[in-house]
Amino acid sequence: MTSQKKYELYRGMLLIRRFEEKLTELCAGGKVPGMVILCTGQEAVAAGVCGALEKEDVIISNHRSHGHLLAKGADPNLIMAEIYGKSTGYNKGKSGTLHIAAPEVNALCTTTVVGGGIPIVVGTAFAQQYNKSGSVSVCFFGNGAADEGSFHESLNMAALWNLPAIFICENNVYSGAQRMEDHTKVKDIATRAIGYDMPGVVVDGNDAVAVYNATVEARERCLAGEGPTLIECKTYRWRGHGESDHQVYQPKDEIACWMERCPVEKLQKELLDEGFITRQEVLELENEINKAVEESVRFAEDSPWPAPEDALEDIYA
Amino acid sequence: MQNISMGQAVAQALSEEMRRDPSVFMAGEGIGVGIHDSPLMPTYGLLQEFGPGRVKDTPVSEAVIAGLAVGASVLGLRPVVEVMFFPFFTLASDQIVNHAAKLRYLSGGKSAFPMVVRIKAGAGFGAGCQHSHNLEAWAAHCPGLKVVMPGTAADAKGLLKSAIRDDNPVIFIEDMGLYFFPTPVPEEDYTIPIGVADVKKPGRDVTVVTWSKMLGTAFKAVGPLAKDGIDIEIVDLRTLLPLDKETILNSVRKTGRLVVLHEATRTGGFGGEIAALAAEEAFEALKAPVKRVTAPDIPVPFSPPLEKFYLPDEAQLIQAIKDIVKA
Ligand SMILES: Cc1ncc(C[n+]2csc(CCOP(=O)(O)OP(=O)(O)O)c2C)c(N)n1
């Protein structure tokens, strides 16, 4: 990987990190309605996967979506406004944080029904194959979602039809308050790929470069007509399931241990060591990103609420 | 009398029934160790008391959670399984709709399926339409199921006990908006029969048929209407299936006017069934058209002003009542 590409992944992760940290702060201050679910600590998955995609490639996201959306190029202002429930948000306040769709960047659907996005990606990949569009579809889901029937049906059919689909299992150790070993017997979700005769790959989900490389390879397979790949990214969520979760079931030393393995700092260090950036440039970049995040909050807060009757619109095409 | 919330009343019914009957067990996502371990939640403390053999935290797998109940119940256990939010009923629905509801019939009356599916329901907590979608009319459209939707903590306790002791599959729907407010609940072991509605407030002029959280909304209309000399009778349905037609018809025959109030969306909602019942069997008593006060035909929107617009409120109820009293 070129240092330039690495820098782009780093930059993308930094934006996600600051965006999520800001939301933690806003939630603590009671500024944001509803349940807010963050991907702090998991930035390398979003950045690495989306960094390997083209604009026409489709992503389908889950409840932990902010990173996926930002990495796919969605506008932080419009995401933040949607999280606030404002009329200027991506979906006019109808979806909120949990269901943001940004078709502008082919982030077609965020579903908070666990496992709900996996069959949809079979459909988008089918359309891409049907239209010979030369693009691929990616679905993000958690380790918990791999226990749903939808996961198994989807992988089977995608493999059977050689669809250009990439299944990204973001294994952050937990599914709600359950640890992986309390919800499945397998050690690696990736091993389930064997049952559907597709490649199943395990990568370090805190290493954006490793995630990127695995995705590039899977994408090439898709485009060569060789069918789907299941990629399991081993990572960890630093925060609770949602911001109102006090993490009583997450051992403190476990959190600390994973925070040591910060994906953002990892790439920053590599870029500094390679001499591609200087400390000064890191500070400048951080400044720029902080400003962008502050701007998204300002945009959201200054935006008007939707009119109550707007609720009646957008039901049918 | 104790003052407890509906969440606590459910927990009490569950623990008392589990103590009483060793064939009762529970399964669901996060019912043992959840992400919100609060004493107000309906399964709080049950894992500690009954252990992981009877309080089973499951993977995120609604289809098999429901199937577990079907299979375990036909062999004589009494499963109480939980669907975390009403929209996820759809993932469990093959086992509930095509199996639990029909297998007794298909056995020619030889088998029984004594199971309870508890579902957390209701809008108003800013989670949007994939967490909030009241589908009770779907469930009530399945002969073979019983559908219970209590509006008070005291009813929840007595009805859940009946549901667990019932030999049929019971869908037991709890509005999360009622989990957090303490109301008086008898301390002793009591049951409330399934299939019996309750006149929560007698009145002269208009019958309001409602259920679940909207019961509270109906009560909010009582005072303002009384100022205008309108005295409403509030019928809390409590059970949708089997439907207590007599209580509804008796009330409508007495007042001559009917308004149905429910949180679910209008078209295809269970309010239509109540209106049809009145039209078919109490037409001669009606002095005015039947009115429905419901959510509009839209998914539950996220944004606070939109979600507020979605939820039926007492102002809409008062208006509907005034409209038909004038008529
Ligand atoms: C069908 C369905 N069942 C249950 C839930 C409630 N729920 C939301 S997230 C979650 C855990 C999902 O874990 P995982 O897929 O590993 O994703 P993570 O939250 O760890 O990112 C559960 C059970 C849901 N949203 N959808």
Side-chain angles (χ1 to χ4, degrees), chain B residues 136-137 209 211 237 240 243 248 258-262 264-280 290-294:
Chain B
E136 68 265 24
V209 173
W211 53 92
L237 215 48
L240 277 62
L243 182 60
I248 299 167
L258 172 63
V259 176
V260 191
L261 168 68
H262 61 66
T265 55
R266 191 176 191 83
T267 306
F270 202 70
E273 190 59 38
I274 310 294
L277 174 72
E280 280 181 346
V290 176
K291 285 263 182 193
R292 286 178 291 168
V293 177
T294 69

Side-chain angles (χ1 to χ4, degrees), chain A residues 33-34 82-83 85 93-96 98-99 111-114 147-148 175-178 183 241 244-245 249 305-308 311 315, chain B residues 29 33-36 57-62 85 88 91 125-131 296-306 309:
Chain A
E82 189 60 41
I83 294 169
K94 295 202 163 80
S95 81
L98 290 178
H99 323 83
T111 172
T112 175
V113 179
V114 168
D147 294 336
E148 290 280 10
S175 165
Q178 272 182 324
H183 74 81
H241 174 71
S244 57
D245 169 2
Y249 53 87
W305 292 106
I315 314 276
Chain B
E29 294 161 14
V33 183
I35 51 176
H36 296 119
D57 266 332
T58 66
V60 193
S61 307
E62 290 77 11
F85 297 109
F88 313 150
L91 285 84
F125 63 109
C129 60
Q130 290 184 338
H131 282 74
D297 286 334
I298 59 173
V300 176
F302 161 77
S303 180
L306 302 184
F309 176 83

Side-chain angles (χ1 to χ4, degrees), chain A residues 27-169:
Chain A
C27 286
K31 293 252 185 180
V32 185
M35 47 163 101
V36 175
I37 295 177
L38 304 180
C39 69
T40 322
Q42 304 182 202
E43 297 84 355
V45 180
V49 169
C50 293
L53 302 181
E54 298 294 332
K55 183 165 183 221
E56 308 73 56
D57 294 333
V58 163
I59 66 164
I60 304 288
S61 179
N62 68 349
H63 52 279
R64 213 171 290 288
S65 69
H66 302 159
H68 310 148
L69 295 164
L70 288 166
K72 193 69 175 58
D75 184 334
N77 288 5
L78 306 193
I79 299 176
M80 192 61 91
E82 189 60 41
I83 294 169
Y84 269 76
K86 296 299 184 75
S87 62
T88 53
Y90 261 115
N91 313 115
K92 307 177 198 167
K94 295 202 163 80
S95 81
T97 165
L98 290 178
H99 323 83
I100 296 176
E104 296 86 340
V105 293
N106 281 317
L108 293 184
C109 151
T110 295
T111 172
T112 175
V113 179
V114 168
I118 313 176
I120 297 176
V121 118
V122 173
T124 57
F126 176 80
Q128 288 164 326
Q129 185 189 60
Y130 193 90
N131 292 331
K132 300 186 177 59
S133 67
S135 50
V136 307
S137 290
V138 173
C139 186
F140 292 96
F141 54 93
N143 42 303
D147 294 336
E148 290 280 10
S150 61
F151 167 86
H152 299 272
E153 295 183 22
S154 301
L155 264 67
N156 184 54
M157 201 153 111
L160 182 69
W161 291 353
N162 273 325
L163 296 178
I166 306 173
F167 299 97
I168 303 289
C169 179

